[in-house]
Amino acid sequence: MKSEMEQDILKVLVTEEQLKARVGEMGQALYEKFQGRRPLFLSVLKGSFVFMADLVRACQLKSDVEFIVVSSYENATESSGRVHIVHDVQQDLTGRDVIIVEDILDSGRTLAFLKEYFMAKGAASITIVTLLDKPSRRTKAITADLAGFVVPDEFVVGYGLDYAQQYRNVPYIGVLKPEVYAGA
Ligand code: PRP
C-alpha cells in the first residue's frame, strides 16, 4: 500500500540502494582528497540536509560541519533568479577548505553566488559537491567538483528535495506527477 505522499510520485529516478552506494563512493573520494586536512562541510539548506547527514558519515575524516540557509525557488518549480541568505554561516571561514554540500545544481545561480560569497569570506579552497546535477538547465558557468547523479530536466523530489516544502522525507529520488504542480 503506497502512502498518500507516494501516490504523488510518477516514477523512481534513483533508488535508496543506489543513493547509499553512490554517497558511500563520494564520501570515500572526499576522504582521499582531504586526508591529513580538516575540511569544513558546509550544507546549503534546506534541500541538502539528508545528503549532508549521509555524506559526513561516509567520510570518516576529522572535519567540521556548518550550515547556511538560502532560498531561491519561493515555492515554485522555476527559480526566481535571486538568492536570499535566510541564515548565514556562524563559523569563521578564513583559511578553511570548504566543501559546499548541495542537493541539486540546476541553473547554477545558487552555487555561483555561494562560491563567490565564501571566497570573499576568506576560504582557502572551495570544493563543490552536489548529489544531483541537471546540466541541461545551466545558465551560469559553474560545474561541480563531485556530482552523484546527472538527472534529466524533470521535477525531482525526495531525499531532501521538496515541492512546496513537501516530499523532503521521501527516501529515494522520484519524479513528481505533473498534475501535482499543475497551475503553480
Ligand atoms: C534549490 C536547491 C539548490 C538550488 C539549486 O534550493 O536546494 O540550493 O535550488 O538551483 P539553482 O542551481 O537554479 O540555483 P531551493 O531554493 O529550492 O531551497 P531549499 O534548499 O530550501 O529546497
Side-chain angles (χ1 to χ4, degrees), residues 106-177:
D106 194 334
S107 73
R109 289 191 198 99
T110 304
L111 279 171
F113 170 81
L114 288 177
K115 190 175 180 182
E116 288 290 313
Y117 186 65
F118 297 146
M119 288 304 282
K121 281 181 172 285
S125 71
I126 303 279
T127 300
I128 293 177
V129 179
T130 187
L131 179 70
L132 304 180
D133 189 3
K134 242 188 212 182
S136 60
R137 298 249 313 161
R138 202 81 86 249
T139 60
K140 293 276 183 184
I142 190 126
T143 52
D145 297 289
L146 185 58
F149 302 90
V150 173
V151 291
D153 188 12
E154 295 182 288
F155 201 80
V156 291
V157 295
Y159 198 71
L161 289 99
D162 75 310
Y163 167 63
Q165 304 302 330
Q166 290 188 80
Y167 309 102
R168 295 192 196 272
N169 55 332
V170 170
Y172 50 81
I173 302 290
V175 176
L176 208 54
K177 288 180 180 169

Side-chain angles (χ1 to χ4, degrees), residues 30-50:
L30 293 170
Y31 181 85
E32 286 162 18
K33 177 171 176 173
F34 289 100
Q35 221 169 2
R37 286 144 79 190
R38 184 178 153 178
L40 178 76
F41 285 86
L42 207 166
S43 163
V44 184
L45 295 174
K46 300 173 193 161
S48 72
F49 78 108
V50 179

Side-chain angles (χ1 to χ4, degrees), residues 42-47 67-74 82-88 102-103 110-111 113-114 117-118 165 168:
L42 207 166
S43 163
V44 184
L45 295 174
K46 300 173 193 161
F67 303 89
I68 189 167
V69 184
V70 299
S71 180
S72 61
Y73 276 29
E74 296 170 346
R82 295 185 302 276
V83 179
H84 307 281
I85 296 178
V86 179
H87 175 83
D88 208 346
E102 258 289 22
D103 53 314
T110 304
L111 279 171
F113 170 81
L114 288 177
Y117 186 65
F118 297 146
Q165 304 302 330
R168 295 192 196 272

